[in-house]
Amino acid sequence: MILHGDNVIMIDTGLRKNADELIEALDELGVGEIDALIISHFDKDHVGGAAEILRAYDVGIVYQSNSPKDSDEYEEYLKALEKTGTKAVTVTDTTDLRFGSLTVSIDGPGQDEYTVDPSNNSSLITTVAFGTNTVLFAGDAEDLRITEFLEDYGRAEGSLILKVPYHGHMQQTLSALVEAAAPDAAVIPC
C-alpha cells in the first residue's frame, strides 16, 4: 500500500484468509477509502483479499490484469465489484496516474493471451515514483513478461527499490531485470 497525503493506492490484497488482518492494519492507519486498487494478476495470493477490501472501503477504481482465472477468489472478487459498483479497468497498455507529486505507472501485458503461465505472465508491472525515489512492483512476472517489460523500460533516476517478481524464483531474465533496474534494495515476499 502507498500512502501519499490523503491518497491511498493498494497493490494486490494477499490471501483471503489474511483479509481481516489487512483491514485491521488499514483501519489503524486511518484509511477510510482507497483511491486506486491494482490487482497485478488473479492468483489467490494477489486477489484473495480483494472482495473483502471492496466491501470494507470505498474504492475509487480498480486496475486489473487481462487474464481471468477460474477460482473461488476471482469469483468473489467479481461479485464484490458488482455489488459495490466499483469500476474495474483492464490494463492492456501503459496507464499513468498522478496523485500530486506521486506518479504511478501501470505497465499492461504485451499479449492478449499467454500460452505459458498465463496468469503470472499477464502480471501488471507497476512503477511508483516520488521525487528521486522509485519502487518497481513486478507482480509474479515470469520470463515472457519480464522480456516485454525490459524492451520499453527506461530506468528512473535516483534511488530504486525492486519488489522481485514471482517470490524470487530464479528465472532466465531475472538477472537482466536486476541489471536494468539497478536497485538500491530488493524485497522478496515469500
Side-chain angles (χ1 to χ4, degrees):
M1 176 183 57
I2 296 104
L3 297 173
H4 178 65
D6 292 334
N7 298 114
V8 178
I9 300 96
M10 179 175 276
I11 302 173
D12 292 332
T13 61
L15 294 166
R16 181 183 351 188
K17 70 179 185 179
N18 301 115
D20 289 342
E21 294 171 45
L22 180 57
I23 289 169
E24 184 178 317
L26 292 171
D27 288 346
E28 286 177 11
L29 290 169
V31 171
E33 60 186 48
I34 297 170
D35 296 284
L37 171 59
I38 301 166
I39 304 294
S40 65
H41 64 295
F42 295 115
D43 284 358
K44 67 181 180 180
D45 57 329
H46 294 262
V47 74
E52 293 301 321
I53 294 296
L54 288 164
R55 287 190 282 262
Y57 300 97
D58 179 23
V59 176
I61 190 165
V62 176
Y63 295 93
Q64 64 184 15
S65 168
N66 68 348
S67 184
K69 192 164 189 176
D70 186 20
S71 70
D72 292 341
E73 292 83 3
Y74 180 69
E75 292 304 318
E76 285 298 312
Y77 161 72
L78 292 178
K79 288 177 189 173
L81 281 175
E82 185 176 341
K83 184 174 183 178
T84 61
T86 305
K87 180 180 178 184
V89 174
T90 300
V91 179
T92 57
D93 220 349
T94 300
T95 300
D96 293 320
L97 313 172
R98 298 263 321 161
F99 300 94
S101 56
L102 183 79
T103 302
V104 178
S105 182
I106 309 166
D107 186 75
Q111 299 178 35
D112 292 335
E113 195 173 312
Y114 294 86
T115 56
V116 176
D117 298 315
S119 185
N120 286 351
N121 274 316
S122 68
S123 286
L124 301 179
I125 298 177
T126 302
T127 306
V128 178
F130 179 73
T132 61
N133 299 303
T134 304
V135 183
L136 178 61
F137 297 90
D140 277 354
E142 292 192 40
D143 287 323
L144 290 171
R145 184 73 184 95
I146 292 170
T147 298
E148 291 171 357
F149 179 73
L150 288 175
E151 287 174 2
D152 296 323
Y153 180 63
R155 168 78 164 94
E157 295 298 319
S159 181
L160 185 130
I161 298 172
L162 171 65
K163 183 269 178 195
V164 179
Y166 195 27
H167 311 280
H169 285 266
M170 191 58 186
Q171 303 175 68
Q172 292 176 347
T173 57
L174 186 56
S175 294
L177 176 64
V178 170
E179 186 176 316
D184 296 296
V187 177
I188 302 174
C190 58

